[in-house]
Amino acid sequence: MAETVTSFGTSSLLASLDPLLRTWLPRQRWFAGKGRPVTGFTPVAVTELLPATGRLGLYHLLLRVHQPSAPGAPPHPGDCYQLLIGAREALPPRLAPALIGHVTQGPLAGRTVYEALYDPRPAEVLLEALRTRAGIGDLRFERDPAQEIRTGLVARLMTAEQSNSSVVYGDTFILKLLRRVVPGVNPDLELPLALAREGCPRVPAPTGWLRAEPAGEPYVLAVLQPYVNGASDGWELALRELAKGEDFAAEARALGRATAEVHTALARALPTVTLGHAQLELLVDGMTERLAAAVQAVPALRPYEHGLRSAYTALASLATEGRTWTAQRVHGDLHLGQCLRSPSGEWSLIDFEGEPARPLAERRMPQPPVRDVAGMLRSFDYAAHSAHPATPDWAHACRAAYCSGYAEAAGFDPRTDPVLLRAYETDKAVYEVVYEARHRPDWLPVPLSAIRRLAASDPN
Ligand SMILES: Nc1ncnc2c1ncn2[C@@H]1O[C@H](COP(=O)(O)OP(=O)(O)O)[C@@H](O)[C@H]1O
Ligand SMILES: O=P(O)(O)O[C@H]1O[C@H](CO)[C@@H](O[C@H]2O[C@H](CO)[C@@H](O)[C@H](O)[C@H]2O)[C@H](O)[C@H]1O
């Protein structure tokens, strides 16, 4: 482990926290290892931001969390999580939901520890460190020199269901603190920075970011962006219009244009490649393997496996006939919830992390841009099927308008490549089945209805 900054040493701090974190961590929405017990922790980097000798102690932890491997999975060193832990003598009632527990042993004995992001003061410590470009222990707080961060912005934790945790500062900035972190270049910072360099206004330009390089392994831990004040996300808007029985096609068209503008800027900013037979084979193999794993994990998929696989074999056949595709960096997990509409009606895209469960190297690979289009088409279908009764015509109109908008700005219509589109929609729906089975079992019927449709569109 690299340099550690605490008043009393890492092992005694961890001894204090260990029994409490074992029960608290698995209850967090962002904890990816649900269903398996936590058996221990290894510190990757531990940094004291405020000493516990004061009224408020504040600790930044990167911890490798040990758990038994999932049945049939190879042994795993454990995922690394980022935590911000506060320590107080007593927790004021407003912080009750943030409670982790009361420490009975070690240097924090007698203190109450809690999830510090709930508390404005610790969250403001992070913003101040970004403002002043502080370096503390392994942590490097950095900022775009061209963007100012003013003082006195009050912090509030966002309460939305998220894979990570976000804090809003005075409706001016939003800081996303990544929870499960992996070493390497993180696309959630890499792509918005590249788009900002291209002058693309569709993605908020990063103002600051937190990095660490414990033991020579680089991590991106947090990204600060301008907050789009008063924005609604595409999912909320779509559901609102659906509830009113209103059409969403004009917004879908605008979203198609925004997606195409981001794709065009990404293709300018970062390398593109041509996918020939060999690359397509790898891509199709990946889709086929994900389907096989999904069928294992969610047996309800089994009756559709054959029909779904035909979407992938149809794509492989095109490659065998000599078709090629251009691939570029893409969003990677585009859906209505990743699109924000400002009060003036402008759309922005956020959250370029890609599908969090996939390895980083895979998430950073150039892909046909149709992959994002497929994600959005799935999302219109999701919205229509979460309405009661389901409204497939509404989804159909949105899907068509989105593709038309995309074609207007990109110069090609994704519907002219139906085999590729079907393969990507199938891959996404399979991902969604696994995602819902794991996180929101009540939602499983939504992607399963698409699975039935996609499997039945088997031309054979
Ligand atoms: N720049 C922004 N302005 C306003 N709200 C934002 C901004 N970025 C993110 N949000 C809000 O924060 C939520 C979570 O952000 P996101 O990047 O999707 O995090 P996660 O990866 O944890 O899902 C979004 O759904 C959106 O409501
Ligand atoms: O927002 P995240 O980056 O964490 O993405 C994950 O969670 C999404 C749900 O919150 C999930 O999206 C699926 O549900 C959405 C409705 O809630 C729907 O609009 C999307 O089309 C659907 O895929 C996403 O797949 C997952 O990666």
Side-chain angles (χ1 to χ4, degrees):
M1 194 184 66
E3 182 187 6
T4 290
V5 183
T6 62
S7 328
F8 36 71
T10 300
S11 42
S12 49
L13 175 67
L14 273 186
S16 283
L17 298 177
D18 183 310
L20 300 175
L21 291 180
R22 282 181 195 228
T23 47
W24 178 79
L25 257 182
R27 295 203 304 263
Q28 304 314 301
R29 155 77 160 87
W30 39 262
F31 186 70
K34 294 202 177 72
R36 288 175 289 136
V38 171
T39 53
F41 303 98
T42 305
V44 175
V46 176
T47 310
E48 184 176 80
L49 296 175
L50 297 173
T53 45
R55 208 169 57 84
L56 167 67
L58 185 58
Y59 299 90
H60 180 281
L61 310 182
L62 282 182
L63 288 185
R64 195 163 294 290
V65 178
H66 302 297
Q67 297 185 272
S69 303
H76 186 265
D79 289 326
C80 181
Y81 287 90
Q82 174 173 212
L83 308 179
L84 193 69
I85 306 284
R88 289 174 178 263
E89 266 171 16
L91 218 49
R94 68 184 162 85
L95 291 177
L99 177 71
I100 296 177
H102 307 287
V103 182
T104 54
Q105 52 185 306
L108 294 180
R111 295 259 171 164
T112 299
V113 289
Y114 66 106
E115 156 68 280
L117 285 179
Y118 273 84
D119 192 356
R121 172 75 190 112
E124 286 156 22
V125 168
L126 298 182
L127 189 69
E128 183 59 12
L130 288 166
R131 196 181 70 78
T132 57
R133 297 195 223 165
I136 311 169
D138 284 309
L139 303 180
R140 297 285 166 271
F141 293 86
E142 296 169 358
R143 168 166 70 77
D144 172 1
Q147 294 192 55
E148 288 300 317
I149 300 175
R150 67 180 172 80
T151 54
L153 297 173
V154 176
R156 66 180 159 85
L157 180 66
M158 283 201 35
T159 48
E161 289 269 291
Q162 275 184 260
S163 306
N164 299 289
S165 299
S166 297
V167 178
V168 176
Y169 295 95
D171 289 341
T172 304
F173 293 111
I174 179 164
L175 179 74
K176 171 150 104 175
L177 195 96
L178 301 173
R179 289 305 196 163
R180 191 167 66 92
V181 292
V182 286
V185 178
N186 189 314
D188 216 3
L189 177 60
E190 180 197 22
L191 297 187
L193 279 180
L195 288 163
R197 280 195 300 274
E198 282 299 316
C200 174
R202 293 290 177 195
V203 174
T207 309
W209 44 90
L210 171 59
R211 296 184 205 266
E213 201 163 330
E217 298 221 283
Y219 290 86
V220 170
L221 300 175
V223 181
L224 183 77
Q225 288 181 348
Y227 182 67
V228 185
N229 198 11
S232 308
D233 75 45
W235 177 252
E236 288 163 24
L237 281 175
L239 291 190
R240 211 181 296 159
E241 297 308 295
L242 259 170
K244 290 192 289 189
E246 297 281 338
D247 178 36
F248 196 62
E251 293 298 357
R253 180 181 287 263
L255 271 169
R257 276 197 300 272
T259 309
E261 285 171 30
V262 169
H263 281 166
T264 308
L266 283 175
R268 271 199 314 263
L270 295 162
T272 62
V273 296
T274 300
L275 303 181
H277 184 237
Q279 294 83 0
L280 239 291
E281 226 168 41
L282 284 177
L283 201 145
V284 168
D285 285 352
M287 291 175 170
T288 312
E289 278 161 25
R290 282 191 288 279
L291 173 58
V295 172
Q296 287 293 320
V298 187
L301 276 174
R302 190 169 299 286
Y304 310 103
E305 189 178 7
H306 178 76
L308 297 173
R309 202 174 307 119
S310 75
Y312 308 150
T313 48
L315 181 59
S317 305
L318 283 189
T320 312
E321 289 161 20
R323 266 280 318 259
T324 59
W325 286 266
T326 302
Q328 62 162 91
R329 297 299 300 280
V330 297
H331 181 284
D333 190 16
L334 196 57
H335 56 82
L336 281 163
Q338 316 283 37
C339 307
L340 296 181
R341 199 187 65 174
S342 72
S344 63
E346 292 296 321
W347 285 102
S348 311
L349 306 191
I350 55 166
D351 193 5
F352 284 74
E353 200 186 4
E355 286 171 6
R358 290 206 196 184
L360 195 61
E362 200 180 308
R363 291 191 251 150
R364 292 187 62 232
M365 258 164 11
Q367 322 236 7
V370 161
R371 164 139 189 224
D372 284 345
V373 171
M376 284 300 289
L377 297 185
R378 289 287 316 115
S379 218
F380 295 120
D381 190 63
Y382 247 77
H385 281 88
S386 53
H388 296 290
T391 48
D393 289 350
W394 183 94
H396 188 75
C398 288
R399 289 159 61 95
Y402 178 80
C403 289
S404 302
Y406 189 93
E408 280 160 21
F412 82 93
D413 190 321
R415 287 167 295 188
T416 57
D417 202 348
V419 173
L420 186 66
L421 197 52
R422 177 174 166 232
Y424 271 114
E425 257 204 89
T426 303
D427 190 40
K428 186 72 191 183
V430 167
Y431 164 85
E432 288 167 342
V433 166
V434 177
Y435 179 87
E436 301 302 1
R438 239 179 235 159
H439 296 276
R440 307 184 295 193
D442 292 354
W443 286 62
L444 200 50
V446 176
L448 276 178
S449 70
I451 289 288
R452 277 191 287 277
R453 175 174 60 77
L454 289 157
S457 55
D458 177 359
N460 304 307

